[in-house]
Amino acid sequence: EKNLKLEEKITMLQQQNEELRARIEQNTVITRQLSEENANLQEYVEKEVEEKKKLSRTNEELLWKLQEGDAVSPVKLPPESSTSFYRCSSGNSSPAKVRTLRR
């Protein structure tokens, strides 16, 4: 009778052991997936940080050009023309014709 009880207990413990092994296997798969997703997200964040830095540098450069007056740059015409075209920084898409003064 004692042996039967012990055998039942062994069977029950073996079943628990198998269930725990299955859970460990499941957790291992999930851990791998999460690690892969984490690596992908870290790569994405690094790319976003680099893009933000690039945009910030571009913004600073544009602000500097705007402050220095380089935002309005002339477009040269052939030498026989006495006019130059300037791009308007006010958002107007058509160039403004301006008479140039000769020195």
Side-chain angles (χ1 to χ4, degrees):
E1 192 176 314
K2 192 174 184 180
N3 279 345
L4 285 175
K5 285 185 181 183
L6 288 174
E7 285 178 14
E8 286 175 9
K9 189 162 187 162
I10 288 173
T11 304
M12 183 187 70
L13 290 173
Q14 286 175 336
Q15 287 174 348
Q16 284 180 345
N17 193 17
E18 287 302 313
E19 289 171 7
L20 290 173
R21 285 179 199 256
R23 286 176 62 187
I24 288 172
E25 201 172 309
Q26 248 182 344
N27 286 341
T28 302
V29 168
I30 291 171
T31 300
R32 280 193 201 118
Q33 290 172 345
L34 290 174
S35 292
E36 196 173 309
E37 186 178 343
N38 186 40
N40 290 338
L41 288 172
Q42 283 180 337
E43 185 178 330
Y44 174 77
V45 166
E46 287 173 14
K47 286 179 182 178
E48 287 292 317
V49 165
E50 286 305 311
E51 184 66 21
K52 184 179 177 183
K53 285 179 185 177
K54 182 179 174 184
L55 289 171
S56 183
R57 285 191 300 267
T58 302
N59 188 38
E60 286 178 23
E61 181 181 331
L62 291 172
L63 284 172
W64 181 81
K65 285 182 179 183
L66 186 62
Q67 289 172 352
E68 293 297 313
D70 289 343
V72 179
S73 59
V75 177
K76 302 288 183 191
L77 286 179
E80 65 271 0
S81 174
S82 62
T83 59
S84 294
F85 288 88
Y86 289 85
R87 273 187 253 146
C88 182
S89 64
S90 65
N92 188 353
S93 61
S94 63
K97 198 177 233 183
V98 177
R99 193 129 206 46
T100 57
L101 298 174
R102 298 203 185 252
R103 291 185 181 191

